[in-house]
Amino acid sequence: MAVQAVPTKGNLIAFKKSLGLARNGYELLDKKRNILVREMMTLIDRATEIQDKIDVTYSKAYLALQKANITMGFIDDIALSVPEENSLALSYRSVMGVEIPIVTIDKDENLGLYYGLQTTGTAIDEAYACFREVKLLTAELAEVENSVYRLADAIKKTQKRANALKNIMIPRFEEGVKFISDALEEKEREEFSRMKVIKAQKDKQ
């Protein structure tokens, strides 16, 4: 790559400064990328764990619901007695400048108080408890999966910027420093040779 710069000491200082900034920027981006990758891998493991819990809890919930339907018939009226969830809240935390969502949901609900206990059985209670647990786990999984997506996107952008510094900007500044340094050294040699010739001529006179 050709360096378009006049070989002066001022330009040499400017190129060295830019080179230092580029190297520092690359190191910071590399550290940021590593931190984001570690955070993402932790969340991926957590997401897998939550998904496994959801699968197990869903199986238990549907089995309990099936038992309730067998013993009590279809329980649409009982299902409608459970209110809609409206305690879901969303906030954010920052990881190296990346906004990570925090999903919160009310966990202090009173189990079994939305339907009459005289007309229901333990299968209903178990199904309700399991589906409530699924709801909480689903909210947590949504938080984790969205966080993984955001981190992956940030890692991609950070990697792209780091590669640009490493493969384009840093080599360009290094070449500029070398070009200007070599040119200035050549000028100094020429000046030294010229001064020697002038001195020799004066000595002859």
Side-chain angles (χ1 to χ4, degrees):
M1 63 187 80
V3 175
Q4 302 295 329
V6 179
T8 64
K9 289 184 178 180
N11 281 339
L12 179 61
I13 292 171
F15 266 79
K16 285 183 176 180
K17 183 178 180 180
S18 297
L19 177 59
L21 290 173
R23 285 173 173 166
N24 288 338
Y26 174 75
E27 290 177 3
L28 289 174
L29 287 174
D30 190 51
K31 289 178 180 178
K32 177 180 178 179
R33 179 191 57 196
N34 291 335
I35 291 171
L36 293 178
V37 168
R38 283 198 298 270
E39 182 77 13
M40 186 180 71
M41 296 308 296
T42 300
L43 289 176
I44 288 175
D45 292 340
R46 186 175 159 202
T48 302
E49 181 182 346
I50 295 170
Q51 187 62 63
D52 291 341
K53 288 182 179 178
I54 287 176
D55 293 340
V56 172
T57 309
Y58 257 128
S59 297
K60 291 169 60 178
Y62 280 114
L63 181 61
L65 185 61
Q66 187 179 27
K67 290 179 181 178
N69 285 332
I70 292 173
T71 58
M72 300 179 57
F74 290 104
I75 54 174
D76 294 346
D77 293 340
I78 297 174
L80 290 173
S81 69
V82 179
E84 292 183 5
E85 177 59 58
N86 58 8
S87 68
L88 197 68
L90 182 64
S91 58
Y92 294 91
R93 65 185 176 95
S94 179
V95 177
M96 298 298 291
V98 182
E99 293 295 308
I100 301 300
I102 300 175
V103 178
T104 56
I105 191 169
D106 185 11
K107 298 182 180 180
D108 298 327
E109 299 175 23
N110 295 318
L111 291 176
L113 296 183
Y114 299 113
Y115 50 84
L117 299 179
Q118 293 180 341
T119 58
T120 60
T122 57
I124 293 291
D125 297 338
E126 184 179 355
Y128 173 69
C130 288
F131 279 114
R132 176 179 174 276
E133 181 66 19
V134 167
K135 176 184 67 176
L136 300 176
L137 289 171
T138 301
E140 186 179 0
L141 183 62
E143 172 189 311
V144 173
E145 288 185 340
N146 189 271
S147 298
V148 169
Y149 173 80
R150 287 170 180 248
L151 288 170
D153 185 59
I155 290 168
K156 183 179 178 181
K157 291 178 180 177
T158 302
Q159 183 67 56
K160 187 176 181 181
R161 294 184 186 125
N163 287 342
L165 284 173
K166 181 180 179 181
N167 301 323
I168 299 175
M169 300 308 298
I170 290 176
R172 182 179 296 171
F173 291 133
E174 286 176 340
E175 183 181 347
V177 169
K178 185 178 185 306
F179 170 78
I180 297 173
S181 296
D182 291 346
L184 290 176
E185 288 176 5
E186 182 63 27
K187 282 184 179 180
E188 288 179 2
R189 283 193 295 268
E190 290 176 356
E191 182 66 17
F192 179 74
S193 298
R194 190 175 70 82
M195 294 301 295
K196 283 186 66 177
V197 170
I198 293 173
K199 185 176 182 300
Q201 290 177 345
K202 285 183 177 180
D203 290 343
K204 286 180 182 181
Q205 293 176 357

